[in-house]
Amino acid sequence: ASNAMWGGRFAAGPDAIMEAINASIGYDQRFARQDIEGSRAHAAMLGAKGIITGNDADAIREGLLTVLSEIEGGNFEFSAALEDIHMNVEARLREVIGEPAGRLHTGRSRNDQVALDFRLWVRDQVDAAIDGIRALQNALLAQAEAGADWVMPGFTHLQTAQPVTWGHHMLAYVEMLGRDVSRFTDARTRMNESPLGAAALAGTSFDIDRHMTAEALGFDRPSANSLDAVSDRDFVLDFLNAASICAMHLSRLSEELVIWSSAQFRFVTLSDRFSTGSSIMPQKKNPDAAELIRAKIGRIYGANTALMIVMKGLPLAYSKDMQEDKEQTFDAADSLMLALAAMTGMVADMTANTPQLEKAAASGFSTATDLADWLVRTLDMPFREAHHVTGALVKLAEDKGCDLPDLSLADMTGVHAKITRDVFDVLGVHNSVASRTSYGGTAPDNVRAQVALWKEKLA
Ligand code: ARG
């Protein structure tokens, strides 16, 4: 039999393979709620404008609620012959309320309908992502507050560079995640236009009120061009772009946690709740959650790339290619939410090994820059010369197998005659971090001030 929705000009039904490649109901049932929300707004508008009767509009709106409760209660039989969520819902509505169901699709097409449903769904995901990021920021903030003055090595090239504070390192991620929130917020603002009423591609001759449906669905305005409205998937790409960058941040933090929890570093202990064991090596406690978060990013980048490729060659307006916008996006959104939740748990639960952090901070000549700065400040030496003198002292310490504070004054004056005993004051790691008071620097006082600012922002 030909299709009940569009089969008028067909004599035969589709081949089984045609049905298999064409049907999206296997996954687009995920936005059933958004589909019904959109249809209810459309029906209310049709009724208000007198395009259908008030009685029909009411019957449609009521019937759609019945269909929604059937779907949400798991009492709905989805049919691949009905292709997608839109036609599954409408077909069921006809069974529930009869003839008025056939009036719902007036002045509308599946093209604007799917654009609307997916936009509503992605908008919800944006809100969920922002909530998830905020939770992670709060966990990082608690770590930053506890360890505003714990000293640890700061790295460049993963080589010891200068001492920093634990709080400062945690706050670096709070900043990155703040930009992620801003990107998601931007994306939300940009996507918040309603495509409903663009119809198939050209608009409609019915006297519809697109402003009314836009407002009812929480949009800022209806989209201005019907061709663009049904062709546009930028809102998905904006979401996937923001998700990609956010996942990249999570991946970098994961990498650090993997390194930090190794026996060679021992900077942090991850909680049992967020670690796993080995089936053969009894001593093992593995940072699997961090590794999985580091890997999830592949799916998210993948979804972003896949949709860019789907969209890049499409002429206006709708092509069925665009049905391939959904599955990877669902997967990317799920991956991001799970990664955010797992990272939040790991960060909240982890314990910094402060003696080990401090020991590591003091090794590797980490206060060499402080020594050079002392030469500049005390002896009025040009920085380039101070750099050179300090380099000679580092070499001397290296030859002696000790660190900079272990050199004697005689060792120091042997390299440069004017060095005095005061120099030893700047070689300790606590002095070092306390001195970094420039705006945005690692000093504990700066960290405390930033923690206070972020707490206010997140409150
Ligand atoms: N299932 C379709 C999709 O996901 C809905 C739109 C169908 N439109 C059409 N002209 N066939 O894109």
Side-chain angles (χ1 to χ4, degrees):
S2 67
N3 188 290
M5 296 286 169
W6 46 247
R9 58 110 70 219
F10 285 75
D15 188 272
I17 297 295
M18 181 61 218
E19 188 174 296
I21 195 173
N22 195 37
S24 55
I25 188 61
Y27 45 89
D28 64 15
Q29 52 183 270
R30 187 143 175 195
F31 48 60
R33 187 172 57 75
Q34 287 80 1
D35 186 72
I36 287 172
E37 198 188 336
S39 289
R40 293 187 79 239
H42 185 66
M45 182 277 293
L46 292 176
K49 296 293 287 180
I51 299 167
I52 63 175
T53 66
N55 281 345
D56 284 351
D58 291 345
I60 290 169
R61 284 168 56 77
E62 268 305 303
L64 284 168
L65 286 184
T66 305
V67 176
L68 179 61
S69 70
E70 287 175 0
I71 293 175
E72 291 189 332
N75 307 313
F76 192 97
E77 213 169 301
F78 292 106
S79 148
L82 289 165
E83 292 181 26
D84 54 28
I85 187 63
H86 323 295
M87 297 205 296
N88 269 269
V89 168
E90 195 185 312
R92 179 66 189 138
L93 182 66
R94 192 178 188 89
E95 287 169 7
V96 175
I97 68 166
E99 188 263 353
R103 301 184 184 277
L104 167 61
H105 215 50
T106 314
R108 183 179 79 166
S109 147
R110 268 190 297 159
N111 296 346
D112 56 337
Q113 192 177 356
V114 73
L116 169 72
D117 296 1
F118 202 22
R119 208 174 272 252
L120 289 170
W121 188 87
V122 170
R123 195 175 70 181
D124 286 347
Q125 296 302 306
V126 167
D127 294 341
I130 290 174
D131 286 348
I133 294 169
R134 292 288 189 222
L136 176 53
Q137 282 183 307
N138 276 315
L140 288 160
L141 218 49
Q143 286 284 353
E145 189 167 33
D149 53 10
W150 300 344
V151 182
M152 65 180 286
F155 299 94
T156 60
H157 316 267
L158 198 57
Q159 308 287 319
T160 303
Q162 295 174 349
V164 294
T165 50
W166 170 264
H168 200 51
H169 200 117
M170 296 297 121
L171 284 174
Y173 283 99
V174 174
E175 292 289 331
M176 295 181 224
L177 293 165
R179 290 192 293 276
D180 290 325
V181 168
S182 140
R183 261 181 289 275
F184 279 116
T185 307
D186 267 7
R188 195 189 200 287
T189 305
R190 203 155 33 244
M191 76 177 63
N192 209 27
E193 293 187 347
S194 172
L196 182 59
L201 73 165
T204 174
S205 56
F206 290 101
D207 182 27
I208 60 172
D209 184 348
R210 294 189 59 207
H211 290 87
M212 178 180 168
T213 47
E215 196 187 320
L217 295 166
F219 289 106
D220 295 326
R221 66 191 76 83
S223 50
N225 182 296
S226 61
L227 282 169
D228 178 45
V230 293
S231 308
D232 170 38
R233 292 296 179 274
D234 291 3
F235 63 97
V236 191
L237 289 165
D238 270 345
F239 170 71
L240 292 173
N241 271 294
S244 293
I245 297 176
C246 181
M248 178 271 285
H249 292 148
L250 299 182
S251 181
R252 292 183 78 172
L253 180 52
S254 294
E255 172 73 4
E256 297 208 303
L257 294 181
V258 169
I259 294 172
W260 290 358
S261 61
S262 69
Q264 288 68 25
F265 270 75
R266 291 192 302 111
F267 283 9
V268 295
T269 307
L270 300 176
S271 75
D272 288 357
R273 301 200 313 149
F274 287 94
S275 313
T276 56
S278 156
S279 57
I280 173 169
M281 297 167 284
Q283 86 285 8
K284 293 281 271 184
K285 187 169 160 190
N286 294 326
D288 290 33
E291 296 167 275
L292 287 163
I293 295 168
R294 194 171 56 183
K296 289 278 184 210
I297 189 168
R299 295 169 174 240
I300 298 171
Y301 283 3
N304 196 6
T305 305
L307 186 56
M308 287 292 283
I309 295 170
V310 165
M311 295 307 295
K312 77 170 186 60
L314 298 185
L316 305 187
Y318 179 87
S319 296
K320 199 60 172 264
D321 309 50
M322 290 164 72
Q323 181 164 287
E324 287 292 318
D325 58 358
K326 296 173 193 62
E327 279 176 289
Q328 304 101 315
T329 305
F330 292 154
D331 183 72
D334 292 342
S335 299
L336 181 70
M337 302 314 158
L338 189 56
L340 281 167
M343 185 56 89
T344 302
M346 250 192 315
V347 168
D349 275 19
M350 74 181 171
T351 318
N353 182 354
T354 50
Q356 173 64 13
L357 285 173
E358 184 156 338
K359 202 174 126 206
S363 73
F365 315 108
S366 65
T367 52
T369 313
D370 300 80
L371 202 167
D373 289 351
W374 183 89
L375 294 170
V376 169
R377 210 171 293 124
T378 316
L379 305 180
D380 194 27
M381 204 181 267
F383 182 77
R384 278 290 154 239
E385 190 187 337
H387 187 286
H388 201 77
V389 171
T390 307
L393 286 165
V394 167
K395 177 152 193 329
L396 180 64
E398 198 168 43
D399 290 346
K400 294 189 128 190
C402 68
D403 241 299
L404 284 174
D406 309 320
L407 291 174
S408 68
L409 184 58
D411 289 335
M412 297 268 191
T413 51
V415 171
H416 193 277
K418 290 190 176 153
I419 297 180
T420 63
R421 182 162 299 284
D422 293 351
V423 75
F424 289 99
D425 292 347
V426 301
L427 298 183
V429 291
H430 286 283
N431 278 322
S432 173
V433 294
S435 73
R436 298 291 196 283
T437 52
S438 56
Y439 185 79
T442 195
D445 284 346
N446 282 2
V447 170
R448 287 188 199 98
Q450 287 296 322
V451 166
L453 282 176
W454 270 110
K455 274 185 153 176
E456 224 169 275
K457 252 192 255 186
L458 295 179

